[in-house]
Amino acid sequence: MTINMNKKRIVKNLLVMFSSYFIFFLGFQSLSNLQTTLNSEQGIGVDSQALIYASSMISSILLPNLLIKTIGCKWTLVSMFLCSLPYMISNYKPSFGFMMPSSILMGAAISPLNTAGAFYINEMSLRYHTIDMSESMETILARFFGILSFFQENTQIWGNLVSYYILRPATIPLTNQTNITCGINFVKNPNGNGTNPNLQPPSAEKRYILITIYVLSAVIAASLMGFFLDKLENDIQKGKRGQCKEVLWRLLAAAKHAILPDQILLLPMSIFFGLELAFYTGEITEAFIACSWGVHHVGLVTICFGVCGALMSLLVGPLVKCISLMAVLFLATIAYVFNCVVLFLWEPTPEFKTIYFVIAGIWGMADAIWWSQVAALYGLMFPNDREAAFSNLYFWCFFGFFLSYSYANYFTMTVKIYILLCFLFAGMLGYMIGQIKLKCSTSLKPKKDTAVCENSAL
């Protein structure tokens, strides 16, 4: 049955989706921020994160398109929320035997979740544009993905506020000690952080309370979306191909899309997409915040990350409209470079608390720009093959996460920052080459066509 959607219905669906994402990622993202400190024993936290994103890379090619065509965007989203439950439950008493398989399942769920969500928002944007053509498709996409980013950035506020109040000690917080090395010279210990009292994991009682809240967030998010989100009438396709042939076709389609010149140019940018957030959640939270100021302050500082990211998510749509997408991405690039320079020079100590929040706030603003506008960029550049485009985007994004967590126990902090900067500069260079190529191609077309192309240029 076809559902006719007016503006109000489109907005209702978007609000349901955004709220569900907010509730779910309130638990998952906050739990990810704590993995390097909450589950530091034998490196199980870092290993679980690496395994999640290794599984996500494979899933991003095999599952999203298959699931969307089989059960539709709505039920793909609901199912993937529920698939996260074993992973969250495994954090009650982490062990390799339970946490690693559940991490694989969690990773397999992330890509269909993100791809179906991006596809649904893209479809709502198209429908909104057909009803109201007073704004360009670029502006509508930037706004809707920006609002999604606003809700996701808010998870960093409320999820970390929960973790801060639950994990904070009853006594006076510990301060950095002279025999403990934090910051740029921090050395990760795969066998745990017993020598640093600031990095001691919380008590079993506090862990149980925290994980229970995060488990409930996934259940509520799945219920909200299952009851109130409208299905897309055309996303379920009963094709003639069997499931095996469908998977093979998906692999071939993704491989074909991966060698497109525009996709190759966006590859470093897509990898940085995952690297930068993994660096914050896995490195800054442990080496700069928890090491010098205590595990419970990870949540407090990351609230600033979420507040600034949420505000930037609301501003990014109007900014793109006023100064162009390229200028906005350059602002984010400058913010990342500034933060990396500060990390090189700063010796973290609780005596200068402001710097913790400044770094987190600037990183949050840059992250909000990157996460909202790179997804919108893919929707604009590949309008005729959105599913393959988003699958490739998240494949390389998850590769960035996997890369960051896989070398976390082996490289120094200096090397990690250099790797981050290399992908940042390569990503912006690829983007600029793509824009030059686009302008050159439009300049060769007749003037009648050129005017149309220039209106859609990024």
Side-chain angles (χ1 to χ4, degrees):
M1 179 179 176
T2 300
I3 299 175
N4 294 320
M5 294 188 187
N6 54 25
K7 274 189 179 182
K8 288 184 178 179
R9 191 149 196 166
I10 290 172
V11 171
K12 184 270 293 184
N13 284 323
L14 289 172
L15 287 176
V16 170
M17 169 175 269
F18 297 157
S19 300
S20 299
Y21 265 62
F22 165 74
I23 295 170
F24 172 76
F25 282 102
L26 179 148
F28 175 69
Q29 191 59 58
S30 301
L31 195 56
S32 296
N33 292 342
L34 293 168
Q35 282 302 312
T36 54
T37 50
L38 192 68
N39 299 322
S40 61
E41 191 67 28
Q42 297 181 334
I44 192 172
V46 172
D47 289 345
S48 68
Q49 291 293 291
L51 198 55
I52 284 175
Y53 293 106
S55 175
S56 298
M57 290 166 56
I58 301 172
S59 168
S60 65
I61 300 299
L62 299 178
L63 293 182
N65 190 58
L66 180 62
L67 286 174
I68 290 171
K69 287 185 176 181
T70 303
I71 61 176
C73 278
K74 172 182 176 176
W75 295 113
T76 296
L77 291 166
V78 173
S79 301
M80 297 306 101
F81 282 152
L82 296 177
C83 284
S84 70
L85 290 176
Y87 171 72
M88 293 188 176
I89 292 171
S90 71
N91 281 270
Y92 279 116
K93 192 174 183 180
S95 65
F96 276 96
F98 185 18
M99 199 165 191
M100 295 304 130
S102 63
S103 296
I104 294 174
L105 180 61
M106 179 75 246
I110 289 177
S111 184
L113 174 65
N114 286 327
T115 302
F119 185 87
Y120 196 95
I121 293 171
N122 199 277
E123 182 67 24
M124 291 296 104
S125 301
L126 287 170
R127 296 187 185 201
Y128 192 92
H129 183 60
T130 58
I131 297 172
D132 183 1
M133 301 187 70
S134 61
E135 293 181 297
S136 68
M137 186 65 184
E138 177 185 348
T139 301
I140 295 172
L141 276 170
R143 181 190 304 128
F144 287 168
F145 276 104
I147 296 173
L148 173 65
S149 180
F150 168 78
F151 275 83
Q152 288 184 310
E153 294 294 340
N154 262 280
T155 64
Q156 295 283 13
I157 302 173
W158 302 102
N160 287 296
L161 194 63
V162 169
S163 71
Y164 170 69
Y165 278 106
I166 291 176
L167 299 181
R168 65 176 180 172
T171 57
I172 298 175
L174 295 167
T175 58
N176 197 19
Q177 301 179 17
T178 57
N179 63 334
I180 296 174
T181 303
C182 301
I184 195 68
N185 296 314
F186 177 80
V187 178
K188 194 182 292 285
N189 184 356
N191 297 319
N193 297 298
T195 59
N196 187 342
N198 287 343
L199 292 173
Q200 290 299 309
S203 65
E205 181 183 359
K206 290 183 176 181
R207 178 191 287 268
Y208 294 154
I209 295 173
L210 189 66
I211 302 304
T212 298
I213 293 173
Y214 293 160
V215 168
L216 288 175
S217 72
V219 174
I220 294 170
S223 302
L224 180 62
M225 193 168 282
F227 284 115
F228 298 107
L229 189 73
D230 288 334
K231 294 190 293 184
L232 298 177
E233 65 274 10
N234 297 322
D235 59 355
I236 299 178
Q237 300 176 15
K238 301 297 183 180
K240 295 181 180 180
R241 290 184 293 266
Q243 288 190 352
C244 293
K245 289 185 177 180
E246 177 70 19
V247 170
L248 179 60
W249 175 84
R250 185 68 222 147
L251 282 170
L252 293 174
K256 182 179 179 181
H257 190 276
I259 61 175
L260 292 175
D262 288 340
Q263 174 62 65
I264 293 173
L265 288 172
L266 291 178
L267 192 148
M269 176 179 278
S270 304
I271 295 175
F272 180 79
F273 200 14
L275 273 177
E276 61 87 12
L277 187 55
F279 183 81
Y280 180 86
T281 59
E283 305 298 341
I284 293 180
T285 56
E286 181 182 23
F288 291 87
I289 303 173
C291 177
S292 61
W293 205 11
V295 173
H296 60 289
H297 280 114
V298 170
L300 181 64
V301 175
T302 307
I303 290 170
C304 186
F305 179 103
V307 170
C308 293
L311 292 174
M312 180 54 68
S313 297
L314 293 179
L315 294 174
V316 69
L319 278 174
V320 169
K321 188 175 182 179
C322 294
I323 64 175
S324 81
L325 179 57
M326 179 182 287
V328 170
L329 289 174
F330 267 110
L331 287 175
T333 300
I334 293 170
Y336 283 124
V337 172
F338 172 81
N339 261 351
C340 288
V341 172
V342 172
L343 293 179
F344 271 116
L345 302 176
W346 176 46
E347 184 177 343
T349 171
E351 296 175 4
F352 302 98
K353 299 179 177 64
T354 304
I355 302 181
Y356 293 97
F357 296 96
V358 169
I359 291 175
I362 294 176
W363 206 286
M365 289 189 288
D367 175 77
I369 292 173
W370 212 265
W371 276 84
S372 62
Q373 298 316 299
V374 174
L377 180 62
Y378 267 75
L380 287 166
M381 291 189 70
F382 308 107
N384 298 322
D385 196 9
R386 290 172 293 163
E387 293 169 22
F390 287 129
S391 291
N392 273 275
L393 164 63
Y394 290 116
F395 175 85
W396 294 112
C397 167
F398 297 142
F399 177 76
F401 276 102
F402 169 73
L403 194 64
S404 180
Y405 286 117
S406 63
Y407 60 59
N409 289 330
Y410 307 102
F411 291 171
T412 64
M413 192 64 60
T414 301
V415 172
K416 295 172 188 175
I417 294 177
Y418 281 140
I419 292 173
L420 192 70
L421 289 173
C422 285
F423 275 100
L424 173 61
F425 293 140
M428 287 307 298
L429 179 62
Y431 173 72
M432 290 173 62
I433 293 173
Q435 296 314 297
I436 294 171
K437 177 185 170 185
L438 177 63
K439 290 182 179 180
C440 289
S441 64
T442 55
S443 66
L444 296 175
K445 293 183 179 181
K447 291 185 178 180
K448 182 178 179 180
D449 295 330
T450 302
V452 177
C453 292
E454 286 178 348
N455 287 333
S456 63
L458 302 178

